[in-house]
Amino acid sequence: MASPPPKQTMKERILETADKLFYLQGIRAIGVDTIAAEIGISKRTLYNHFPSKDALIEAYLQRRFVQSRPSDKPPAEQILATFDSLERRFAAKDFRGCPFVNAVAELGPDDEDRTFRNIAIAFKESRRVWFRDLLLQLGVVDAEGLATQLTLLVDGSIAQDLVRDDPAMARAAKEAARVLLANAGVKVGASAPADKKRPG
């Protein structure tokens, strides 16, 4: 019989609740009062774990900073699969865009020490470096430049989906990525049929 999952600590409960509310409703829209009330604790208890809202925002962004998992799949397949993952995410009802872009858009003017912006930059750069390293494995000459272009396709498809509410934007970005890879001398498989149905 499987053992029950470990019980969350209060700090984990606070962070998980903040994560959900910040992402779905906006960082500025959600105060610590709302987070504390959602959990059923006092503001004082929350501040015992996170001394300020800024500290909680920083922890939220760090929690969202997830690195790509190592894979045995061929590098080109890994690159193109990024856009398949995006299409699945776009189809989810709770998708609200990139949490890092959202945080910079909301907090940029008040982020005087650039704490939040620097976390966002580090995340975006980690994705670009992941692309670059895969491209180096493929022997691409300008791996740095192509990695930047692929990163722009990711961010562009996210923006397009937010405006259009159409997961097919990820599929269009994938086809553009396929062209970029082919132009760089990378052998890529055949593209998916153009009439593929939108995920439900």
Side-chain angles (χ1 to χ4, degrees):
M1 184 174 176
S3 57
K7 189 174 180 181
Q8 280 186 310
T9 66
M10 179 54 68
K11 187 169 188 174
E12 289 167 342
R13 284 181 63 200
I14 293 168
L15 188 51
E16 184 174 282
T17 302
D19 183 293
K20 178 182 72 173
L21 294 174
F22 283 161
Y23 183 68
L24 293 179
Q25 298 181 41
I27 295 171
R28 284 194 181 278
I30 297 298
V32 292
D33 290 340
T34 303
I35 295 166
E38 179 83 7
I39 303 167
I41 60 173
S42 67
K43 264 202 322 185
R44 181 170 187 162
T45 299
L46 186 150
Y47 282 132
N48 283 339
H49 295 281
F50 297 95
S52 65
K53 183 179 178 182
D54 279 357
L56 186 53
I57 296 167
E58 184 175 355
Y60 153 66
L61 291 174
Q62 294 288 5
R63 184 178 193 259
R64 288 267 171 171
F65 197 138
V66 178
Q67 301 276 8
S68 298
R69 294 178 183 174
S71 172
D72 294 329
K73 291 181 179 177
E77 191 176 323
Q78 290 184 56
I79 290 169
L80 294 175
T82 300
F83 299 94
D84 297 330
S85 297
L86 283 173
E87 186 172 357
R88 288 191 295 273
R89 189 69 189 98
F90 292 174
K93 289 187 170 132
D94 65 347
F95 182 70
R96 297 290 182 275
C98 172
F100 302 97
V101 171
N102 295 349
V104 171
E106 283 194 78
L107 307 171
D110 299 324
D111 186 19
E112 293 179 3
D113 63 358
R114 296 176 61 91
T115 298
F116 311 130
R117 186 178 297 274
N118 286 337
I119 296 171
I121 289 170
F123 174 77
K124 295 296 185 183
E125 182 61 7
S126 74
R127 173 179 278 156
R128 194 191 72 81
V129 167
W130 181 77
F131 279 137
R132 182 202 66 194
D133 291 347
L134 291 171
L135 293 167
L136 287 172
Q137 291 178 45
L138 290 164
V140 171
V141 175
D142 184 16
E144 293 283 357
L146 184 48
T148 298
Q149 292 168 7
L150 291 169
T151 304
L152 290 171
L153 285 177
V154 168
D155 287 334
S157 68
I158 292 170
Q160 285 292 317
D161 174 70
L162 278 176
V163 172
R164 297 170 181 270
D165 189 23
D166 184 359
M169 294 299 102
R171 211 175 314 139
K174 180 179 180 179
E175 292 311 304
R178 193 186 297 278
V179 171
L180 288 173
L181 289 169
N183 287 345
V186 176
K187 289 186 180 177
V188 289
S191 60
D195 61 350
K196 183 180 173 184
K197 299 294 183 187
R198 172 176 171 164

